Amino acid sequence: MGDQVPLGARPAAGDRVLSGKRVVLGVCGGIAAYKAVEVCRRLGDAGAIVSPVLTRSATRFVGPLTFSALAAEPARTSLFGSEEVGAGSGAPAPAVPAARSAIPHVELGRNADAVVVVPATARLIGSYAAGISSDLLSSVLLATRAPVLLCPAMHTEMWEHPAVQDNLTLLRRRGVHVLDPAEGRLAGGDYGKGRLREPEEVVAALEAVLVDESSGTAGTVSSRADAGGTLRGVRAVVSAGGTREPLDPVRYIGNRSSGKQGYAIATELQARGAQVVLVTSSPLEPPAGVEVVGVETAAEMAEAVLGAAAGADVVVMAAAVADYRPSAPAPVKLKKSGAPVRLELVPTLDILAELGAHKRPGQVVVGFAAETATGDQLVELGRGKLESKGADLVVANDVSADGASFGSDRSAAVIVSRGSLTDLGVSDKRAVASKLVDAITDLLGAAGVPAPKKGANA
Ligand code: CTP
């Protein structure tokens, strides 16, 4: 899943994470391309079966023959299979010869255990984000389902350009790993952020990505809270934000929910390795690596949540779903007449109750209860909702507590289940998310939902 890759993160000594792994080493045209030669050598030394793929402009900076001499596979520069450069004499020799087909991008992409691009230029990042295959490297990136690590290098102005940053955000969201460049000397004597990371940092980051994606067998290497991925293979759906029920094309009935709590829960679940679908009506920037479904009304939220819940192990209804909607929204903008207006509101589907009523065995359903109550009364209201909606956990929170109102970063919450009660007091929403995901993990374990599931969401 997409992440900011940490520096210096390296599996414990003795782990040969790269040994026998097929790694496509993409090289783009940039002054930093010379460092890719050293990356190639180090990957080979670590036991990887390296297939170098150079863009046309990369060949203006570094020779494909150099890569062929260092790598197990010959360097490739073209979409057309015949254009291999050199023999690929570097160690180790692959047990199974790599693709030498007429469609090398598909073969390379399909056979790869990882793809690393060193350096990744703004152009490559742009075409990858847009899904454009203009040469062999961009085609391999689209054809592969293996983890991808981009190591950008460019001038600071280009690195900071919103187009580049937006493309990287999009790619991270899709699960692509990015090793941010360092600050330092750049081409032309300039100084700033945009300098390619050192070869040993690139190799360490690739090892970290492979460990993280495979099942967390080699120690703490991830920037995630829980690199071991205790929830790896678990599929979760989280709803967030307040729904909007249209009165006419311009106006709606809404509520003050910010979506922050749902986003914190989605982030926490994803951080522990779960595969997360976030159904949201909030304008907040979603966490990297989660699948986002944007909705507006309670009906849209019901459709998206119930659809995704069918295959989910965990469903968390953190959204403030409207209980009622206008029965007949006007198709055109309503004009004022000065006379009182009567609105007819009709109930919406109670999504949580629906989930509770049709829960699959082992599925954990979580609800929220936003109340203006404290102490025992808050707990009672939470317990009542647990029963009435058939949920396994309810987070009851007092929205009238000081510093814990709607939109705030804090919440006054208790987590109630059938057998337990955890009073969190006034806490940061991320802390609430963490405690809630602990409780979810316990219930999943008790229900025998296999966690971790090795590599299930790699
Ligand atoms: N919920 C839902 N579908 C709705 C309404 C609410 O799934 N149509 C979920 C919310 O996401 C939340 C929980 O139900 O998890 C909140 O319960 P709800 O009964 O709506 O709470 P209140 O609106 O506070 O209801 P009441 O005023 O009856 O306490």
Side-chain angles (χ1 to χ4, degrees), residues 273-432:
Q275 195 176 318
V276 181
V277 177
L278 176 63
V279 180
T280 176
S281 53
S282 163
L284 294 175
E285 179 69 20
V290 309
E291 185 185 331
V292 179
V293 182
V295 296
E296 195 169 292
T297 63
E300 289 168 4
M301 183 157 281
E303 191 183 338
V305 169
L306 295 175
D313 304 300
V314 180
V315 189
V316 181
M317 284 302 300
V321 187
D323 293 323
Y324 293 91
R325 64 172 176 82
S327 60
V332 294
K333 189 183 167 197
L334 295 166
K335 292 289 181 191
K336 60 178 173 292
S337 68
V341 174
R342 276 181 212 291
L343 279 178
E344 187 187 56
L345 300 176
V346 292
T348 59
L349 177 71
D350 191 321
I351 307 166
L352 181 58
E354 188 72 14
L355 289 165
H358 300 104
K359 217 154 41 97
R360 288 191 293 112
Q363 193 178 45
V364 175
V365 172
V366 182
F368 273 72
E371 310 288 355
T372 48
T374 54
D376 290 349
Q377 204 194 352
L378 182 63
V379 173
E380 279 320 302
L381 289 167
R383 288 238 157 90
K385 223 152 261 184
L386 196 71
E387 294 307 330
S388 66
K389 304 215 183 195
D392 300 293
L393 292 166
V394 163
V395 182
N397 56 316
D398 174 13
V399 292
S400 64
D402 263 2
S405 54
F406 272 114
S408 141
D409 288 333
R410 295 164 77 74
S411 154
V414 291
I415 302 174
V416 295
S417 72
R418 291 209 163 65
S420 72
L421 162 67
T422 311
D423 189 344
L424 305 176
V426 177
S427 316
D428 188 282
K429 285 182 176 169
R430 286 168 302 184
V432 174

Side-chain angles (χ1 to χ4, degrees), residues 26-383:
V27 186
C28 297
I31 197 75
Y34 74 92
K35 287 190 188 171
V37 174
E38 179 63 12
V39 170
C40 185
R41 189 185 66 75
R42 284 175 181 261
L43 289 173
D45 287 352
I49 301 158
V50 183
S51 298
V53 173
L54 281 70
T55 65
R56 182 173 294 277
S57 30
T59 62
R60 300 180 71 120
F61 292 88
V62 279
L65 267 176
T66 310
F67 287 95
S68 292
L70 292 169
E73 289 289 309
R76 291 176 175 79
T77 57
S78 164
L79 265 169
F80 305 100
S82 53
E83 294 183 37
E84 291 174 351
V85 184
S89 51
V96 182
R100 287 202 170 87
S101 79
I103 43 170
H105 62 289
V106 177
E107 295 295 327
L108 282 167
R110 200 178 275 158
N111 293 336
D113 294 305
V115 180
V116 55
V117 184
V118 189
T121 54
R123 176 193 170 104
L124 181 280
I125 292 166
S127 39
Y128 188 19
I132 296 170
S133 61
S134 48
D135 59 9
L136 179 56
L137 180 54
S138 51
S139 305
V140 168
L141 286 168
L142 296 185
T144 196
R145 295 296 173 263
V148 173
L149 173 64
L150 299 181
C151 305
M154 61 196 77
H155 262 78
T156 311
E157 293 82 352
M158 293 172 71
W159 170 251
E160 289 176 349
H161 195 284
V164 172
Q165 289 304 317
D166 285 354
N167 285 333
L168 286 168
T169 301
L170 181 62
L171 288 169
R172 283 193 183 103
R173 209 177 288 157
R174 291 181 187 151
V176 173
H177 302 265
V178 180
L179 182 63
D180 275 1
E183 199 171 299
R185 210 154 60 90
L186 305 171
D190 290 340
Y191 187 93
K193 184 147 180 169
R195 185 180 162 84
L196 184 70
R197 293 287 174 178
E198 295 308 313
E200 62 272 25
E201 293 175 320
V202 171
V203 174
L206 185 63
E207 287 174 338
V209 164
L210 279 169
V211 170
D212 200 25
E213 294 271 348
S214 65
S215 68
T217 51
T220 304
V221 294
S222 171
S223 60
R224 295 174 188 171
D226 172 14
T230 48
L231 294 181
R232 191 164 286 277
V234 167
R235 294 153 304 172
V237 180
V238 179
S239 70
T243 58
R244 296 175 167 191
E245 307 305 321
L247 287 161
D248 69 12
V250 182
R251 305 172 182 94
Y252 61 84
I253 298 176
N255 61 65
R256 295 180 197 277
S257 171
S258 65
K260 285 180 185 171
Q261 186 63 80
Y263 277 52
I265 294 163
T267 303
E268 188 65 28
L269 285 164
Q270 199 265 350
R272 297 198 200 183
Q275 195 176 318
V276 181
V277 177
L278 176 63
V279 180
T280 176
S281 53
S282 163
L284 294 175
E285 179 69 20
V290 309
E291 185 185 331
V292 179
V293 182
V295 296
E296 195 169 292
T297 63
E300 289 168 4
M301 183 157 281
E303 191 183 338
V305 169
L306 295 175
D313 304 300
V314 180
V315 189
V316 181
M317 284 302 300
V321 187
D323 293 323
Y324 293 91
R325 64 172 176 82
S327 60
V332 294
K333 189 183 167 197
L334 295 166
K335 292 289 181 191
K336 60 178 173 292
S337 68
V341 174
R342 276 181 212 291
L343 279 178
E344 187 187 56
L345 300 176
V346 292
T348 59
L349 177 71
D350 191 321
I351 307 166
L352 181 58
E354 188 72 14
L355 289 165
H358 300 104
K359 217 154 41 97
R360 288 191 293 112
Q363 193 178 45
V364 175
V365 172
V366 182
F368 273 72
E371 310 288 355
T372 48
T374 54
D376 290 349
Q377 204 194 352
L378 182 63
V379 173
E380 279 320 302
L381 289 167
R383 288 238 157 90

